[in-house]
Amino acid sequence: MESMLNKLKSTVTKVTADVTSAVMGNPVTREFEVGRHLASGGPGLCWRIYNGTKKSTKQEVAVFVFDKKMVDKYQKFEKDQIVDSLKKGVQQLTRLRHPRLLTVQHPLEESRDCLAFCTEPVFASLANVLGQWDNLPSPMPNDIKEYKLYDVETKFGLLQISEGLSFLHSGVKMVHGNLCPENIILNKSGAWKIMGFDFSISSINPSDTELKYTCKEWEPNLPPLCLPNPEYLAPEYILSVSCDAASDMYSLGVVMHAVFNEGKPVFQVNKHDIFKSFSRQLDQLSSISPAVLNKLPEEVREHVKMLLSVAPNVRPDADQMTKIPFFDDVGAVTLQYFDSLFQRDNLQKSQFYKSLPKVLPKLPKRVVVYRILPALTSEFVNPDMVPFVLPNVLLIAEQCTKEEYVRLIMPDLTPVFKQQEPVQASNMILLIFLQKMDLLLTKTPSEDIKNSVLPMVYRALEAPSVQIQELCLNIIPTFANLIDYPSMKNSLIPRIKSACLQTSSLAVRVNSLVCLGKILEYLDKWYVIDEILPFLQQIPSREPAVLMGILGIYKCTFSHKKLGIPKEHLASKSLPHLVSLSIDNNLNLNQFNSFMVVIRDMLGRMEAEHKTKLEQLHIMQEQQRSLNIPGNQSENTKSPLSSVNQIEDIFGSTGVNGKENGSAATAPQPNRMSLTLEEKQRLAKEQEQAAKLRNQQPLAPQSIKPANTTNTKTKDLTSSLLNSMTSLNSLSLTNPARPAPVQGSTFPSSGPMVGSMGAPVSNGFNPPMGFQAGGMGMGMRPTGPGLYSGMATTTSTPNFGALTQNQGPIGQTNKNPDLSALDSLFTPSQPKVTLNQMGPKATPGTNSPWLNQYGSAPSAQTPMHGAPVGIGGVPSGFGMQANPFFNPQNFSQPAAAPSVNQSGIKHSASVNNDLKDLFG
């Protein structure tokens, strides 16, 4: 292991030393930072290619370096010939400017030890990619070692070389003279570029139609770097010392064969006997065997065979080669179009970008990321084109890793996040980003999310476009789990609430509620209770969709395991709000039923929780009482009980086991052995008085002689109603059996409250739900003479359980109340008595809490026979046709003129109508 590390260390040191020694002192280093060794290229792969950056602009470049030590074995005049040849090639390349030629960023600089110049960023030479690894760094870079050309890359690369030759032959009137894989460079984007003009030949008559070129005779004694690569030279170059544009086309044919043949040319040339090798090659080319071309794609074999023809005039020219069907590949055409985009107008560009998403999935990732992506991001400087380019960029981002996204895409996207002009383009950009928000939040670093992505979401929520707001609200739940909690609580939720309250669009308001409902699980319980639920009561509209959205949020909060609504909030805020919404006339039957299901669930849980609490409290009180026995504690040290216990001690209220608390909770007896005679006498006296108090009969209520029979019956009926109401504590929320309705009754038979005549009584709420015991604000407890002559006005907690017991003397067994008076009262022969007559006559200047609890009764209406009545006395169904108040002919009898008693309260026509007046 240690030897391997030492070897690696020595290799790195050697490479660093080579770079330092080669480039040190060269003027290129004044403006450019030279990095690591990447590849090699040029004639004989003599140029080492390094990555680099320009110091002033941090622009990425490639630095080509020729180390003069490579030619130390040659004599001085040979060294000079090699250096002059290399200089000529670079200088010629610097003068030529074309997309298919390698672009020079800084001209050639010479120092004592090296030659150096800078070009556009480079990946490697084609020779390196095809397996020629001379003059490469050690160890071999994996990206070159494992590089495999895709078909689309090969096709488009050969097409680019053909276009480059067409430019040289037609535009510059020049023959390259040494076209081979060594002089074809793949730049960082994957484009194929021509370099190596060391042996280029210009036309001696560029203005004439028929161009003439003069070439030098082959000199075998020259160093190899002073001669072109003979394996890619046309036969006439060696045998007849002539060349023209067709000679480059022969070289192109050999390059095409090498690309499909693992880098091997058509023929191997003996460089020591070049003329004999070419003579033999000429004979083979005259009758070329099909086996030589069998590795080429079938659609290009004939064209390559023509390029390798012995007769130059048979070979197709470069312009013809660019038009062969082999290059009509979708990917190649797409890449070719990108190279000519600068010549297109915005309309042509937009049409091309619209169809590009269909092509991108068919192209290799490397081609898309390194060839197409840079061309797309360069269009971001044109604001009008951004909406057309952006979908393609985001489509490519999906194929990239997070590291590639951050390095290649994110820097160009950052300005687009903030683009707001022109407005139409800005709106389209927002829509596109919102549709890909999960991608952005997944791959964008958290700091950039906070600084760039989320501000764009906030801007979308505040956008004037309803479409953008709707889309934003629909998409937010899909990525809510990726938003940090402070940003959601302090920035996102307030904007959603603002959009809901301020919008004039029903769709935005409903989507706001739906959005809030979906992201509740990412919020904490108390934030929802303090911020979300109160916000629901601020919503002004009452459309069914809005009401169902509000119901949904309540239901989600109530039923979610992490959230939940406390029973105090249920009783004081949630249930009152939901009940008021449930009777909105805009709701249909199914929607109303949905409300009632949630309301019942809330009531059931509230009842269960509070009942459990009270049971636990009662158990604790009973345990405390059991500890207060004689001899255990003195009266002075007894733990204080609640006010309820103290009242029960006085009045002897019955406990849960049927035993009287008053008798059980007797005062503890002190130890008589330790008392003086005087203390014993005093204690005996106190016990005698206590016994008298326990055996004393309660004060009988003062009987008030009624002014007429109606008042007596009113009092009896009131007592009967109150005794009936006391049974409501034991009623469940389930649907009880429905008794048969009394003829003429206007109330549904599903309510659990039944009058003394056997007629079911509606409670004004949902019929299946029944009365809730906790909802009645009445209570009765013996408080002195005259107690039963009116309703109690105490503010203590009502105890309906006490009303079911006989208010007999303390210490006696409870008995069922005698209701014989009510039986005689409700015989069919007796006239009906209105409930308003039953109520106590209010003392002048005071208000009865009984009446205040329900408000003033509405005017009496004659009941409708046979029609089921819904909530609040309104028949089931909606609309004027089903509402009895809009159809007088549905009533069985005309409404009787209401009479007014001495107290000014209108009499109702019947007991049922009075109940309806009472319960709404």
Side-chain angles (χ1 to χ4, degrees), residues 775-789:
M776 302 299 297
M778 303 176 297
M780 293 189 64
R781 189 175 295 277
T783 57
L787 173 66
Y788 299 105
S789 62

Side-chain angles (χ1 to χ4, degrees), residues 442-619:
T442 302
K443 296 189 175 181
T444 305
S446 57
E447 192 64 25
D448 291 317
I449 288 176
K450 190 175 298 183
N451 297 333
S452 301
V453 180
L454 289 183
M456 181 196 63
V457 176
Y458 305 152
R459 196 167 72 248
L461 285 174
E462 298 168 349
S465 171
V466 172
Q467 182 185 7
I468 293 177
Q469 286 184 314
E470 282 188 66
L471 180 60
C472 184
L473 291 168
N474 288 330
I475 291 176
I476 285 175
T478 64
F479 61 82
N481 60 318
L482 303 175
I483 303 177
D484 60 295
Y485 186 70
S487 298
M488 179 176 289
K489 182 175 70 173
N490 300 325
S491 301
L492 184 62
I493 298 295
R495 285 177 168 85
I496 295 177
K497 292 162 62 177
S498 177
C500 181
L501 294 177
Q502 297 178 6
T503 186
S504 58
S505 168
L506 176 61
V508 172
R509 181 162 291 160
V510 173
N511 283 320
S512 299
L513 294 172
V514 174
C515 178
L516 285 176
K518 289 181 178 180
I519 65 177
L520 284 177
E521 58 181 318
Y522 305 112
L523 306 175
D524 64 76
K525 174 179 181 178
W526 299 113
Y527 180 81
V528 174
I529 292 174
D530 295 340
E531 298 294 334
I532 303 299
L533 298 187
F535 151 75
L536 299 179
Q537 301 185 19
Q538 303 173 14
I539 299 176
S541 60
R542 287 294 179 268
E543 291 83 359
V546 175
L547 296 181
M548 297 308 294
I550 295 174
L551 176 66
I553 293 179
Y554 272 116
K555 182 177 180 180
C556 291
T557 306
F558 173 73
S559 59
H560 197 280
K561 295 181 180 179
K562 188 182 77 171
L563 301 176
I565 306 177
K567 60 184 177 64
E568 294 79 10
H569 195 283
L570 285 175
S572 61
K573 297 179 181 178
S574 299
L575 280 171
H577 187 214
L578 281 176
V579 170
S580 65
L581 296 181
S582 67
I583 60 173
D584 192 281
N585 291 333
N586 293 323
L587 296 176
N588 60 29
L589 180 59
N590 290 334
Q591 293 166 345
F592 170 75
N593 289 336
S594 300
F595 266 90
M596 298 315 299
V597 168
V598 176
I599 291 172
R600 290 190 197 102
D601 290 343
M602 290 182 172
L603 285 170
R605 183 179 297 181
M606 183 182 69
E607 178 187 9
E609 290 181 3
H610 196 65
K611 184 176 181 180
T612 302
K613 175 183 176 181
L614 293 178
E615 289 175 349
Q616 293 174 351
L617 180 61
H618 179 76
I619 293 173

Side-chain angles (χ1 to χ4, degrees), residues 739-759:
V742 177
Q743 183 177 4
S745 173
T746 62
F747 293 92
S749 61
S750 59
M753 181 176 177
V754 181
S756 59
M757 291 185 298

Side-chain angles (χ1 to χ4, degrees), residues 24 55 82 99 122 180 185 191 247 253 307 373 413 426 445 450 484 488 492 544 549 614 655 705 829 891-892 901:
M24 184 179 297
K55 294 180 179 179
I82 293 173
V122 166
C180 60
I185 301 295
S247 302
L307 289 173
L373 181 61
L413 277 186
S426 176
K450 190 175 298 183
D484 60 295
M488 179 176 289
L492 184 62
L614 293 178
K705 187 176 182 180
S829 61
F891 290 84
S892 60
N901 61 10

Side-chain angles (χ1 to χ4, degrees), residues 345-346 349 377-387 389 419 422:
D345 57 24
N346 283 351
K349 289 181 181 180
T377 54
S378 65
E379 283 285 356
F380 283 157
V381 297
N382 185 356
D384 293 328
M385 285 291 101
V386 174
V389 175
Q419 180 174 331

Side-chain angles (χ1 to χ4, degrees), residues 16 52 147 205 261 275 322 325-326 414-415 435 486 545 615 672 678 692 885-886 906 918:
T16 306
Y147 194 92
N205 57 340
N261 195 34
F275 296 102
T322 61
F326 176 69
T414 302
Q435 291 171 342
E615 289 175 349
R672 296 180 180 272
E678 183 180 354
K692 291 180 179 180
F885 297 102
F886 294 97
K906 295 181 179 180
L918 178 61

